[in-house]
Amino acid sequence: MQAWRVYENGEPGAVMRREEVEPPVPGDGQVLLRVRAANVNFPDALLCRGHYQVRPPLPFTPGVEVCAETEDGRRVVTTAALPHGGFAEYVLADSAGLLPAPEALDDAEAAALHIGYQTGWFGLHRRAALQEGETLLVHAAAGGVGSAAVQLGKAAGATVIGVVGGPEKAEVARALGCDVVIDRRSEDVVATVKAVTGGRGVDVVYDPVGGEAYQQSAKCVAFEGRIVIVGFASGTVPAPALNHALVKNYSVLGLHWGLYAAKDPASIGRCHEVLTTHAAKGLIKPLIGERVPFAGAADAVQRVADGTTVGRLVVLPEGSRS
């Protein structure tokens, strides 16, 4: 089969190699799946660089999230069992982690649903307890992670403020349903948030960026607000001033979605049922920025690493029309 493999750590565009390999052999509790579409996630870039919390043995195939087909023809979404990731014709996955792909979504959309929307749902509902009528601020609102949070926030009845970088991404954020869009390159994020909220600030912040975005969040979060830390796409891990959290009465909440698989696996299935219902009602629909042919997988991962993309890039097998 064809697969992209990494033999040494480095930038994805430099270290991912396309080659012919034997299909992987499932271990205990695993299944072999035919890949229908593989979503590109920022962790794929971190895996290539050797910076992710999980470090599979070299060589490995990246691609942590797929829509795939079982031997009996069922269409499923799942995370890959590394080192046999999804940028290949066949992928390994834990049989207990297979979830039915929503009928309302095509293969590329289904591949982009699982991690991003589960992370968004757990972050907004399980961690931050977002309520109808509250105000939600989403950093990187036109990106893959942020766009999911925007849609889930609107589905929950929140007023959503999206922060983006540039006019093109601002248009995307408006199309996603943001009530207010702030271009951080030309507008003062904190001043604009204070202006549109009457000085009160926002109830919940969804932050996959870190760095300066976190500093802005702390300045414009409301009394008893919640800042959900999802990741550090900026490359800078902030150091929260806990005295500031005490003085303003706000919470800083961590969200590592992968822990739920170990600590509360049943909750993932329940969340998937909610997401499937939302998709059927048209409340959520993964924003696919580009459907990438298999030959372009390494370039796609590099572009996600560089932060130049809008929405999700999804790698499709050769001959796919999804």
Side-chain angles (χ1 to χ4, degrees):
M1 71 171 188
Q2 288 284 302
W4 285 90
R5 306 243 281 175
V6 173
Y7 284 84
E8 60 182 358
N9 293 127
E11 288 301 300
V15 300
M16 287 178 62
R17 302 185 201 170
R18 182 180 178 179
E19 59 186 24
E20 185 74 23
V21 299
E22 290 295 318
V25 178
D28 290 341
Q30 294 183 329
V31 291
L32 181 69
L33 304 170
R34 183 176 68 84
V35 176
R36 297 175 67 111
N39 182 44
V40 181
N41 284 276
F42 191 67
D44 292 315
L46 297 179
L47 284 165
C48 290
R49 292 168 173 167
H51 295 167
Y52 197 51
Q53 56 257 43
V54 175
R55 298 192 69 173
L58 298 168
F60 69 88
T61 296
V64 298
E65 180 178 28
V66 297
C67 174
E69 188 174 315
T70 63
E71 289 185 350
D72 59 1
R74 289 177 293 124
R75 203 170 65 107
V76 298
V77 294
T78 191
T79 53
L82 298 175
H84 303 290
F87 301 139
E89 292 181 70
Y90 290 89
V91 64
L92 289 186
D94 293 332
S95 56
L98 302 185
L99 296 166
E103 294 181 2
L105 305 179
D106 66 22
D107 291 341
E109 293 163 344
L113 174 78
H114 191 44
I115 296 175
Y117 283 83
Q118 287 258 344
T119 298
W121 192 90
F122 276 93
L124 296 179
H125 292 285
R126 182 95 171 225
R127 303 295 286 135
L130 178 68
Q131 301 297 308
E132 183 177 0
E134 289 192 315
T135 301
L136 166 67
L137 175 69
V138 179
H139 288 287
V145 175
S147 62
V150 168
Q151 293 180 359
L152 288 168
K154 292 301 296 180
T159 297
V160 179
I161 301 173
V163 179
V164 299
E168 178 189 358
K169 292 184 178 181
E171 288 301 315
V172 171
R174 291 188 187 95
L176 284 167
C178 285
D179 299 282
V180 177
V181 177
I182 304 172
D183 184 346
R184 58 179 172 79
R185 295 180 181 174
S186 59
E187 300 176 82
D188 184 311
V189 173
V190 176
T192 304
V193 169
K194 292 286 184 68
V196 300
T197 62
R200 180 178 176 276
V202 297
D203 299 291
V204 176
V205 178
Y206 191 80
D207 182 10
V209 178
E212 183 182 3
Y214 175 82
Q215 304 303 328
Q216 295 166 342
S217 301
K219 292 177 181 178
C220 62
V221 67
F223 169 73
E224 292 195 328
R226 293 85 77 196
I227 301 175
V228 184
I229 306 300
V230 184
F232 312 106
S234 67
T236 301
V237 179
L242 296 185
N243 61 321
H244 190 255
L246 181 152
V247 170
K248 286 188 66 176
N249 274 34
Y250 64 85
S251 303
V252 180
L253 306 168
L255 189 280
H256 177 195
W257 170 74
L259 281 178
Y260 289 97
K263 303 292 186 180
D264 187 7
S267 65
I268 292 177
R270 292 195 297 269
C271 176
H272 185 69
E273 291 177 1
V274 173
L275 297 178
T276 299
T277 300
H278 279 2
K281 293 180 178 178
L283 296 174
I284 62 172
K285 188 179 182 68
L287 174 63
I288 307 301
E290 187 177 340
R291 297 164 192 258
V292 180
F294 189 77
D299 176 67
V301 179
Q302 186 64 60
R303 284 187 283 149
V304 169
D306 294 339
T308 61
T309 59
V310 173
R312 291 293 191 180
L313 302 191
V314 180
V315 175
L316 302 176
E318 291 184 345
S320 173
R321 296 181 180 180
S322 295

